[in-house]
């Protein structure tokens, strides 16, 4: 999934690409704050006072918020304003990888951001490990067609594809035909695990 996300980003050089990180789940709005800071022109943007005050709840560098208590509706309006004015500068493509690490506060806001009617429309590519899709995101995906989402499942490599991958690496001392089956069993056909296993083998077949 990460390789697929990276290739999509490479085809859209101006795309905005970020990722959730291990530990984000312990920090409310960690991923959302990362997304906002990554928006093109954010650091120098002329924000309306009401937007700046609302976003101050997420981004301390914007100054003190207008009240100590958070107004979720007003904050969402500020987020949508910001995406509508700055998101389109990245050709309307936003890529977020590793959502299995995301914090719940960001995941609660994500469906509204995905469904936002910005002009030009934003297109989103979200990636998560199949077995670890956050429940909040899964509920949004299964809640009908309001998100107009297309789900792409990246299946593991078959045995023949593992051998093809090993052949393509052209590594000295690695017999692709000999190592394809054990690597397939060991990694379940996950390309990233295959490459990591080869690196970890060190003084083995390489």
């Amino acid at each position: 999934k990460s390789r697929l996300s990276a290739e999509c980003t490479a085809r859209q050089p101006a795309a905005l690409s970020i990722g959730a990180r291990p530990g984000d789940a312990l920090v409310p709005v960690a991923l959302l704050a990362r997304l906002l800071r990554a928006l093109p022109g954010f650091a120098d943007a002329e924000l309306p006072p009401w937007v700046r005050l609302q976003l101050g709840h997420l981004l301390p560098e914007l100054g003190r918020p207008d009240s100590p208590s958070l107004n979720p509706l007003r904050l969402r309006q500020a987020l949508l304003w910001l995406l509508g004015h700055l998101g389109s500068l990245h050709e309307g493509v936003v890529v977020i990888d590793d959502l299995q690490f995301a914090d719940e506060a960001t995941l609660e806001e994500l469906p509204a951001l995905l469904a936002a009617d910005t002009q030009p429309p934003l297109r989103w590519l979200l990636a998560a490990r199949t077995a670890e899709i956050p429940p909040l995101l899964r509920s949004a995906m299964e809640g009908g067609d309001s998100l107009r989402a297309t789900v792409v499942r990246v299946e593991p490599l078959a045995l023949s594809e593992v051998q093809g991958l090993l052949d393509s690496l052209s590594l000295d001392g690695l017999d692709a035909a000999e190592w394809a089956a054990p690597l397939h069993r060991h990694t379940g056909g996950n390309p990233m695990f295959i490459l990591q296993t080869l690196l970890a083998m060190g003084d083995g077949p390489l």
Side-chain angles (χ1 to χ4, degrees):
K1 65 167 182 53
S2 295
R3 177 65 178 271
L4 183 63
S5 300
E7 297 220 358
C8 177
T9 304
R11 292 171 183 267
Q12 305 268 355
L16 170 60
S17 180
I18 65 168
R21 303 169 184 169
D24 278 358
L26 303 177
V27 184
V29 303
L31 179 59
L32 184 56
R34 190 173 303 128
L35 170 62
L36 299 183
R37 291 186 177 108
L39 287 171
F42 174 76
D44 303 317
E46 293 288 339
L47 302 178
W50 73 272
V51 172
R52 179 177 292 274
L53 289 173
Q54 287 298 318
L55 295 182
H57 287 285
L58 309 184
L59 306 169
E61 64 266 29
L62 294 182
R64 295 173 59 87
D66 57 349
S67 68
S69 60
L70 180 70
N71 183 322
L73 178 58
R74 195 65 171 157
L75 175 62
R76 183 168 296 174
Q77 290 172 337
L79 292 173
L80 295 177
W81 184 95
L82 194 63
L83 282 179
H85 285 74
L86 298 182
S88 61
L89 297 180
H90 263 315
E91 296 187 0
V93 179
V94 181
V95 180
I96 307 180
D97 192 14
D98 284 326
L99 274 172
Q100 69 273 6
F101 297 131
D103 61 279
E104 286 200 17
T106 294
L107 292 170
E108 288 175 352
E109 291 298 326
L110 202 51
L113 301 184
L114 298 180
D117 186 19
T118 57
Q119 294 298 326
L122 286 173
R123 292 175 292 161
W124 299 76
L125 173 61
L126 309 178
R129 296 172 184 165
T130 301
E132 301 176 47
I133 296 176
L136 282 170
L137 183 59
R138 188 182 296 277
S139 296
M141 292 167 55
E142 297 173 351
D145 60 357
S146 60
L147 295 182
R148 302 183 298 277
T150 299
V151 178
V152 178
R153 299 189 184 278
V154 183
E155 301 295 339
L157 299 181
L159 176 58
S160 60
E161 293 170 323
V162 172
Q163 183 168 339
L165 173 61
L166 298 181
D167 281 328
S168 72
L169 296 176
S170 300
L171 296 174
D172 291 339
L174 177 66
D175 186 330
E178 177 183 353
W179 282 95
L183 281 172
H184 183 263
R185 287 195 303 271
H186 179 68
T187 64
N190 184 307
M192 182 181 70
F193 294 166
I194 292 170
L195 297 177
Q196 288 180 336
T197 299
L198 290 173
L199 289 173
M201 290 170 73
D203 297 329
L206 308 183

